[in-house]
Amino acid sequence: MEFKQQEGVTLAEVAKAAGVGESTVSRVLRNHGSFTTKTRDRVLAAVQHLGYVPNRIAGTLASAGSRLVAFVIPSLSNIVFTDVLRGASATLEDHGYQAVFAVTDYDPEKEEALVASMLAWRPTAVMLAGYEHADGTVKMLRAAKCRVVEVLDIDGVALDLAVGFSNHAAGRESANFMLQRGYRRIGYVGHDLNRDTRASKRFASFCETLGAGGAPLADRQIHPGPSSVENGRIGLEQLLARTPDVDAVYFSNDDMALGGYFHCLSHGIMVPDDLAILGYNGLDIGRATPQRLSTLLTPRVTIGQVAAQLVVDDAPSQVIDLGFELIEGETA
Amino acid sequence: MEFKQQEGVTLAEVAKAAGVGESTVSRVLRNHGSFTTKTRDRVLAAVQHLGYVPNRIAGTLASAGSRLVAFVIPSLSNIVFTDVLRGASATLEDHGYQAVFAVTDYDPEKEEALVASMLAWRPTAVMLAGYEHADGTVKMLRAAKCRVVEVLDIDGVALDLAVGFSNHAAGRESANFMLQRGYRRIGYVGHDLNRDTRASKRFASFCETLGAGGAPLADRQIHPGPSSVENGRIGLEQLLARTPDVDAVYFSNDDMALGGYFHCLSHGIMVPDDLAILGYNGLDIGRATPQRLSTLLTPRVTIGQVAAQLVVDDAPSQVIDLGFELIEGETA
DNA sequence: AGATATTTTGGCAGCGCTGCCAATCGAAAT
DNA sequence: ATTTCGATTGGCAGCGCTGCCAAAATATCT
C-alpha cells in the first residue's frame, strides 16, 4: 500500500492499473451502476495500491451537486451560531456533505460579499442567520439555484426554508413570566442591538408586553459592545446606579445575565428577593450556578439538525417553528 | 441589472455579451494580466447585467489552488477550537480563502475518514488539533501535496507546520504556581482524558512536577464525560467527599473550574482559604466572577491567526510556540 | 443450438474555467 | 512612412471526472 499521490493520482491511472475503463472505476467508487465483484475488487486494489483520492472538484464540475453547504454566520464567539453549526455538521457529514463557513461580524455588507463568494462554490444550500439581509444578498440568493435556509428566526417572510422560533414570541413570553411573578419595576440590560436584530426583536416585544401589562419598562442599559459576561456585569451596575429601585432585570442573553448575577453575588444583592434576573438562551452553565438561572431555552442544536435534514432531503420550501422553553430557575 | 442566472451564467456568455474573448473576461475578473480600461468596463458591465457569478469549481480545476482550507477539529462545543477557527477565518477571508470544517468528536478514526474526504477537495491546507493521529491519517497527509498545520500543541514532531504551545509546560507551570503558593494537598478534577490528549499531557506534567516538588497529587476525580461546568461541580463534590482535606484543586479547564467554584459558593467553602482553585484556558467569564479565576491564558485566537497567515504566505515548515500566560486571579 | 434479454463495460464528449501561444494593435523610434 | 517592440487580445487545449450510449459479455428462454 504505497502512497505516491505526488501531483495527484487520477482516475485514469487507476483505470489503467486495474485494467478497466475509466467509467468502470467511477461506477465502482460511487457504488452506482452495475459491475461484478471481481472488477470491483480489482479496482479497489488499484485504488489502495496507488493511494488514489478522488477529486471532488472535478467530480462536481462534471456532474452537478457540489454537496457543499455554506454557512454565513454573524459570529463564532456567540454560542448560538456554533450550536447551529454543531447540530448541522453531524447530519451533513453523514450524508456526504461538507460544511463551508464564513463570518460576517453582524455586518450586512460583509454578509453580501461573503454570500457572493460562497455562491462561487455552487453550494447545495446557503444557511444564514435571520431574515435581515442586504438587497443584493437577497437578489443573489434568489437568482442562485441553491437552497436557502434562514435559521434562528421566523418572524418574517422566508426566502425558501426557515428553521427557528419567533423572537417576538420569546420576548412576549419572557415579559409575561416577569409579570406573573409579580415584578413591576422591570429593567433591561442588553448589548448592541443594531447588530443583533434578533435580540432587538425580543426587546421590542418584551417592552410592548410589559406596557400592555401595566408595568412599562422602568429603565434600560444598552452596552455598545458584543454580549459578554463582563458587559452584563457592567451593564447591571450602571443600570442600578441610575435606577436603584428596579425589582427585576431582563438580560439580552445568558452571558449578560450571568454577569449581572455575579454582580449581585459580589455586592450582597439577594437574588431574586432584592433583584430578580431573567436570561435568554438556556446555556448549560446556568444550570450549575449556585442558583439556577431563569432563562428561555432555545433549541439551537436542533435547529441546525433540522435545517441540515431539510437540505439533505431537498424538502419543499417551508417554515419550521421549533419553539423554545421557559426555564423557571431560581433567579426569577 | 437583471439576474437570470438560472442554470448558471457562464464566462462564455459574458464574453459574448461584452463582445470580447473568454480569456479577456477571465483576466479582467481576476485582475491579472493586461487589458485596457475600456474593455474592463465593458466586461464588468456585462457581468453586472447578466448577474454572473464565477464558478470557482471550474476555476480551481483549470488552474491549481483551491484556496480552500480544511479544519478537522474535535468539537464545536469546546471554545478552544471555535476560537482557533475565529482567529483563522478573518485572515483567510481577507485573502480569498474559504474555510471548510468537519468535527471528529475526538475520535481518531473519524478524523481519518474526515481527512480523507477533505482531501478530495484538494485543499490548500488542512488544520488539525494536536499531534496524535491515526497512521492512515498521517500517511494520507504526507502523500497529499497540501500544507498541514497542527494547532494547539507543540509537544511532538510536526508533520509540516505547527502553531501552539507546550501542554507539558502548561501543566508544569500550573504545578509550580500551586507549589509556590504553598498548597501541599493538591487534587485534580478533570474530564475524559482518553479523548483529550492535550489535557492528559497537562495532567501528566502537572503530577510529575508536584511529585518533584515534594507534594504529590493528593487525589484525582476524572469525570467520564466532556468538560462542562456541571461536570466540574460534580467532580469537585465527589473529590471532596473522598478526600476532604485537599487545600487546592487543579481543574482540566475553566469550564470545570467554574463548576468547582460554584460548588464552593453554594456550600460556604471559602475560596481560596478553605480551597484554592486553578483553571486552564483563560475564559472571559473567569474575569467577571465574584472572584477572578486563577487560570492559564492560552492564545487560542492568535494561534488561529498565525496558522492562517502561515498558510496564506506558504511559509516553510516550522513550529511556532505562542506560549501562554499564567493569570493570578483571586481563587488561588 | 439459436434467439432474445440482461448485465457489464469502455469510449468519449463535455462541465466552466485558466494558461499558453500566436495574432493583433498601437505607439514610439528610425 | 517603415520598423520595432511591448501592450492587448482571442483561440483552444486541457484540468479530472461523470453521463450517455453503444458494444461486449453473459444469462435466459424457445
Side-chain angles (χ1 to χ4, degrees):
Chain A
M1 178 154 80
E2 290 166 32
F3 283 91
K4 54 170 171 177
Q5 182 216 348
Q6 205 48 315
E7 283 307 295
V9 180
T10 68
L11 188 148
E13 299 178 58
V14 174
K16 205 176 300 167
V20 300
E22 295 182 31
S23 4
T24 302
V25 176
S26 177
R27 276 186 296 255
V28 170
L29 258 29
R30 286 175 302 149
N31 194 29
H32 173 277
S34 54
F35 44 80
T36 60
T37 328
K38 210 171 66 181
T39 44
R40 191 200 57 199
D41 293 341
R42 264 227 305 275
V43 168
L44 294 182
V47 165
Q48 197 71 186
H49 177 65
L50 298 173
Y52 172 68
V53 177
N55 184 332
R56 270 179 90 160
I57 301 274
T60 299
L61 181 61
S63 60
S66 63
R67 296 216 160 206
L68 235 31
V69 174
F71 292 86
V72 181
I73 58 175
S75 156
L76 274 172
S77 329
N78 192 328
I79 192 159
V80 166
F81 306 112
T82 55
D83 273 352
V84 172
L85 284 185
R86 188 150 68 89
S89 85
T91 305
L92 293 180
E93 280 164 19
D94 289 348
H95 292 265
Y97 286 76
Q98 291 286 354
V100 193
F101 74 90
V103 179
T104 69
D105 238 338
Y106 293 94
D107 177 351
E109 283 180 38
K110 205 164 169 191
E111 179 182 75
E112 180 169 355
L114 291 173
V115 166
S117 71
M118 283 297 190
L119 252 20
W121 286 101
R122 299 295 186 267
T124 302
V126 176
M127 295 216 192
L128 306 156
Y131 283 117
E132 286 69 30
H133 312 295
D135 289 348
T137 308
V138 173
K139 231 173 229 169
M140 281 189 288
L141 254 16
R142 279 197 206 289
K145 60 178 177 182
C146 69
R147 301 307 300 267
V148 178
V149 190
E150 291 164 295
V151 295
L152 292 166
D153 193 3
I154 58 167
D155 297 315
V157 179
L159 242 30
D160 176 5
L161 293 160
V163 183
F165 53 87
S166 166
N167 281 278
H168 282 305
R172 214 178 306 130
E173 183 143 337
S174 299
N176 279 140
F177 173 73
M178 293 295 234
L179 291 171
Q180 272 172 230
R181 290 285 194 173
Y183 304 114
R184 315 304 291 174
R185 294 283 298 163
I186 302 169
Y188 175 82
V189 171
H191 60 280
D192 187 0
L193 293 174
N194 291 118
R195 294 166 22 116
D196 191 336
T197 55
R198 285 162 295 286
S200 92
K201 285 181 180 180
R202 291 193 297 275
F203 181 48
S205 292
F206 182 80
C207 291
E208 195 184 315
T209 309
L210 282 193
L217 195 76
D219 193 9
R220 73 172 80 172
Q221 178 64 39
I222 311 279
H223 191 98
S227 89
S228 73
V229 180
E230 179 66 12
N231 288 343
R233 200 182 58 67
I234 295 170
L236 179 58
E237 188 169 18
Q238 296 176 332
L239 183 86
L240 291 179
R242 196 171 50 229
T243 313
D245 67 332
V246 293
D247 58 8
V249 174
Y250 177 50
F251 288 82
S252 53
N253 64 40
D254 280 0
D255 290 298
M256 300 289 285
L258 280 173
Y261 178 61
F262 291 156
H263 175 80
C264 293
L265 282 186
S266 43
H267 287 75
I269 300 172
M270 299 301 289
V271 175
D273 298 333
D274 292 346
L275 186 73
I277 288 175
L278 178 62
Y280 165 81
N281 251 345
L283 297 192
D284 284 342
I285 189 173
R287 284 200 282 268
T289 36
Q291 289 170 284
R292 283 179 296 112
L293 184 67
S294 296
T295 185
L296 202 73
L297 178 63
T298 54
R300 306 176 295 275
V301 175
T302 311
I303 288 174
Q305 289 169 339
V306 171
Q309 198 62 52
L310 290 174
V311 169
V312 167
D313 296 342
D314 198 23
S317 295
Q318 60 193 292
V319 174
I320 295 186
D321 184 356
L322 257 22
F324 45 74
E325 185 193 348
L326 195 119
I327 308 271
E328 300 191 20
E330 296 152 353
T331 62
Chain B
M1 179 155 76
E2 290 167 31
F3 283 90
K4 54 172 173 179
Q5 182 216 349
Q6 205 48 318
E7 283 308 292
V9 180
T10 67
L11 187 150
E13 299 179 57
V14 174
K16 205 175 299 168
V20 300
E22 296 183 30
S23 3
T24 302
V25 176
S26 177
R27 276 186 295 256
V28 170
L29 259 29
R30 285 176 301 149
N31 194 31
H32 173 277
S34 54
F35 43 82
T36 60
T37 328
K38 209 171 69 182
T39 41
R40 191 200 57 200
D41 293 342
R42 263 227 306 275
V43 169
L44 293 182
V47 164
Q48 197 72 186
H49 176 66
L50 297 173
Y52 171 68
V53 176
N55 184 332
R56 268 179 93 160
I57 301 275
T60 299
L61 182 61
S63 60
S66 62
R67 297 215 159 207
L68 235 33
V69 173
F71 291 86
V72 181
I73 58 175
S75 155
L76 274 171
S77 330
N78 192 327
I79 192 162
V80 166
F81 306 112
T82 55
D83 272 352
V84 172
L85 284 184
R86 187 150 67 88
S89 83
T91 304
L92 293 180
E93 279 165 20
D94 289 348
H95 292 265
Y97 286 75
Q98 291 287 355
V100 193
F101 74 90
V103 179
T104 69
D105 238 339
Y106 294 93
D107 177 351
E109 285 181 35
K110 205 165 170 192
E111 180 182 74
E112 181 169 356
L114 290 174
V115 165
S117 70
M118 283 298 190
L119 253 19
W121 286 102
R122 299 295 186 268
T124 302
V126 176
M127 294 214 192
L128 306 156
Y131 283 118
E132 286 69 30
H133 312 295
D135 289 347
T137 307
V138 173
K139 232 173 230 168
M140 280 189 290
L141 254 16
R142 278 195 205 289
K145 60 178 176 181
C146 69
R147 301 307 300 267
V148 178
V149 190
E150 291 165 295
V151 295
L152 290 167
D153 193 4
I154 58 166
D155 297 316
V157 180
L159 242 28
D160 176 5
L161 293 160
V163 183
F165 53 87
S166 165
N167 282 278
H168 281 306
R172 214 179 306 131
E173 183 143 336
S174 300
N176 280 138
F177 173 72
M178 294 296 233
L179 291 172
Q180 273 172 230
R181 290 285 194 175
Y183 303 114
R184 314 306 290 176
R185 293 283 297 164
I186 302 168
Y188 176 82
V189 172
H191 60 281
D192 188 359
L193 293 175
N194 292 119
R195 293 166 24 116
D196 190 335
T197 57
R198 285 162 295 285
S200 93
K201 285 181 180 180
R202 291 193 297 274
F203 181 48
S205 292
F206 182 80
C207 290
E208 195 184 315
T209 309
L210 282 192
L217 196 77
D219 194 8
R220 73 172 78 173
Q221 178 65 38
I222 311 280
H223 191 98
S227 88
S228 74
V229 181
E230 179 67 10
N231 288 344
R233 201 183 58 65
I234 296 170
L236 179 59
E237 188 169 19
Q238 296 177 332
L239 182 84
L240 291 179
R242 197 171 49 228
T243 314
D245 67 334
V246 293
D247 57 9
V249 175
Y250 177 48
F251 288 82
S252 53
N253 65 40
D254 280 359
D255 290 298
M256 300 288 286
L258 280 172
Y261 178 60
F262 291 157
H263 175 80
C264 293
L265 283 185
S266 43
H267 287 76
I269 300 172
M270 298 302 289
V271 175
D273 298 332
D274 292 346
L275 186 73
I277 288 176
L278 178 62
Y280 164 82
N281 251 346
L283 297 193
D284 284 342
I285 189 174
R287 284 200 280 269
T289 38
Q291 290 170 283
R292 283 180 295 112
L293 184 66
S294 296
T295 184
L296 202 73
L297 177 63
T298 54
R300 307 175 295 276
V301 175
T302 310
I303 288 175
Q305 288 169 341
V306 171
Q309 198 61 53
L310 289 174
V311 169
V312 167
D313 296 342
D314 198 24
S317 295
Q318 60 192 292
V319 175
I320 295 186
D321 184 355
L322 258 22
F324 45 74
E325 184 192 350
L326 195 119
I327 307 270
E328 299 192 20
E330 295 153 353
T331 62

